[in-house]
Amino acid sequence: MEELFLGFLTFFTSVVAAIVGIGGGMMLIAILPSFLATNALIPIHGLTQVSSNLSRAYFGYKDIEFSVVPKFLLGSILGIVFFAGILSLISLDYVPLFIGIYILLSLWSEKFNEKIKKYENYYIAGFFQTGLSMVVGATGPLTMTLLFKDFKNKDKVVATGALLMSITHFLKIVVFIYFGFLFFDYIGIIVCMIFGAILGSYVGTKLRNRIDGKKFAIILKIMLTFLAINLIFQVIIKNIF
């Protein structure tokens, strides 16, 4: 039953990501701590997001700007190597706390987003987006701000962003496999979530131009805020009280 629920949840978040371009991965990573062990949170989220983003890129492949991929890939490889070395220094119990704080800052702090915008080239965006995803899971806003500046076409932004996020999550999965994480232990959950992710990408792509993106983004922002606050309080209650 839990597998089916997570499959439906992934479907919904994948639809959100296909319509808006970002937010689905953040929503999913904010909810998963209630269902998965802390050590499985980032790896399973990453595998699911590969299927979500890669399928979204496939459904919109005609709009992908491939010229930015080599720059982003090089930065991503350097980022994943650097940040992988930090994982052993971080207590996994506090990963949901990092996730919650990151979501709130990206949603509400202009100063935080201004600092993100300083990394306005694809080498640096790849370095930080892929590297930081090892800790907080969903880092799409790092690249989406740059894509929105360079390309005015919404379909181009969504499709290209999906491909870049696919690279981010794929490299992350490789690292977790290297560290010995056994994805097969969660095969039932993974299959349901991947199916939901691909189906959600298809539905969201079809709905993208039929839904008011601005109103949808406001609702999404409110939902993500409540989810992030809940994550932070869960960690505080678990580790302090």
Side-chain angles (χ1 to χ4, degrees), residues 161-172:
L163 181 60
L164 298 185
M165 282 304 299
S166 299
I167 293 172
T168 287
H169 291 298
F170 176 78
L171 290 175
K172 182 169 61 180

Side-chain angles (χ1 to χ4, degrees), residues 120-236:
E120 288 191 329
N121 73 65
Y122 291 96
Y123 297 106
I124 298 177
F127 180 87
F128 282 103
Q129 175 168 299
T130 302
L132 288 172
S133 73
M134 296 285 295
V135 181
V136 298
T139 52
L142 286 171
T143 298
M144 294 304 286
T145 54
L146 183 55
L147 289 172
F148 274 119
K149 179 181 178 181
D150 289 348
F151 308 110
K152 303 305 179 184
N153 183 284
K154 183 179 179 181
D155 291 329
K156 217 178 268 289
V157 170
V158 173
T160 306
L163 181 60
L164 298 185
M165 282 304 299
S166 299
I167 293 172
T168 287
H169 291 298
F170 176 78
L171 290 175
K172 182 169 61 180
I173 289 169
V174 171
V175 171
F176 279 107
I177 290 175
Y178 174 78
F179 282 147
F181 183 80
L182 299 176
F183 285 95
F184 191 78
D185 289 349
Y186 298 87
I187 190 64
I189 289 174
I190 289 171
V191 169
C192 289
M193 291 180 72
I194 288 177
F195 179 79
I198 295 173
L199 183 60
S201 291
Y202 177 78
V203 172
T205 300
K206 296 295 183 182
L207 293 175
R208 187 179 302 147
N209 295 318
R210 300 181 182 181
I211 294 178
D212 188 327
K214 291 183 179 180
K215 291 182 179 179
F216 195 77
I218 292 172
I219 296 172
L220 176 63
K221 188 174 184 178
I222 294 171
M223 291 176 63
L224 283 170
T225 298
F226 280 109
L227 289 170
I229 292 172
N230 181 58
L231 274 181
I232 293 170
F233 274 106
Q234 283 184 4
V235 174
I236 292 174

